[in-house]
Amino acid sequence: QKEVEQDPGPLSVPEGAIVSLNCTYSNSAFQYFMWYRQYSRKGPELLMYTYSSGNKEDGRFTAQVDKSSKYISLFIRDSQPSDSATYLCAMSARATSGTYKYIFGTGTRLKVLA
Amino acid sequence: GAGVSQSPSNKVTEKGKDVELRCDPISGHTALYWYRQSLGQGLEFLIYFQGNSAPDKSGLPSDRFSAERTGGSVSTLTIQRTQQEDSAVYLCASTGGLSTDTQYFGPGTRLTVL
């Protein structure tokens, strides 16, 4: 079993739809939860970063973390064609050596149709 | 510079040749990570540098892979005797500043081994 599971998609939605992207994880040591957006042939770009369970909102984006269920979500409201990209979830924990270990999901490819 | 830069952006090489990939992290960032991203796969951790500490090399797939970070800044990832399965996008990320747990990625180097 992978430490982080993410549906690879692709996910196609009409413009204006609400998009829900999800990841599950198995390691309860993860402390930090991130969502990255990656456009084709570009590096991942940090979208949202959360530490605790609950919701965090930034414009049209809401990140949700449920540590008890080991489940995180990213919601995109009023989706736009410019949101078409691959969305990667990521989680990190500090190892005993002091290193920060980051584990990434495989990414969900999203296409928003105009 | 304002962000993480990587060079070259694309590299095509023949099987058996050595390649060097370069990463310039964000100025002042103390930690630097190398990842490999293959089609349909998540980001695979390769190596981590933190300040003057010994690097975490636990993700390097074989002894053909090595990396250096000179002066706590620029890093070079070297792949010796390249194989076709080394073809991937190699991404560099740095962390530091006010939010040490978030990673900022470069655009990546797309390596193709013929």
Side-chain angles (χ1 to χ4, degrees), chain B:
Chain B
V4 178
S5 61
Q6 292 186 246
S7 60
S9 54
N10 282 285
K11 177 72 177 178
V12 180
T13 191
E14 293 179 346
K15 179 181 170 181
K17 295 284 178 70
D18 297 351
V19 296
E20 282 190 355
L21 313 179
R22 177 186 167 107
C23 172
D24 278 275
I26 291 173
S27 178
H29 276 192
T30 56
L32 187 150
Y33 296 75
W34 282 99
Y35 293 90
R36 178 167 69 176
Q37 187 176 34
S38 303
L39 191 63
Q41 303 294 316
L43 273 67
E44 176 189 3
F45 167 75
L46 297 177
I47 188 168
Y48 163 80
F49 296 90
Q50 169 66 58
N52 295 321
S53 303
D56 177 353
K57 304 179 182 180
S58 60
L60 294 178
S62 77
D63 59 8
R64 296 186 296 105
F65 288 73
S66 62
E68 289 184 339
R69 189 179 185 192
T70 54
S73 181
V74 171
S75 177
T76 302
L77 177 69
T78 300
I79 309 173
Q80 296 178 309
R81 304 181 303 281
T82 52
Q83 303 294 312
Q84 288 182 331
E85 60 263 29
D86 299 335
S87 296
V89 176
Y90 289 82
L91 289 157
C92 171
S94 69
T95 73
L98 296 177
S99 183
T100 58
D101 300 322
T102 56
Q103 297 188 310
Y104 296 87
F105 283 85
T109 294
R110 183 174 297 274
L111 175 66
T112 303
V113 182
L114 301 176

Side-chain angles (χ1 to χ4, degrees), chain A residues 52-67:
Chain A
S52 57
S53 282
N55 293 351
K56 181 176 181 179
E57 191 173 319
D58 184 1
R60 295 185 296 110
F61 298 90
T62 300
Q64 190 174 78
V65 174
D66 182 344
K67 286 188 175 181

Side-chain angles (χ1 to χ4, degrees), chain A residues 48-111:
Chain A
M48 301 284 286
Y49 162 70
T50 57
Y51 174 72
S52 57
S53 282
N55 293 351
K56 181 176 181 179
E57 191 173 319
D58 184 1
R60 295 185 296 110
F61 298 90
T62 300
Q64 190 174 78
V65 174
D66 182 344
K67 286 188 175 181
S68 62
S69 301
K70 297 190 180 66
Y71 188 86
I72 70 170
S73 300
L74 177 71
F75 298 97
I76 308 174
R77 290 184 299 281
D78 187 24
S79 55
Q80 303 295 308
S82 58
D83 295 329
S84 298
T86 296
Y87 290 80
L88 298 133
C89 64
M91 306 169 192
S92 70
R94 189 189 286 271
T96 52
S97 63
T99 303
Y100 269 101
K101 176 183 179 183
Y102 290 79
I103 303 295
F104 286 80
T106 53
T108 299
R109 201 151 46 92
L110 171 68
K111 185 162 188 175

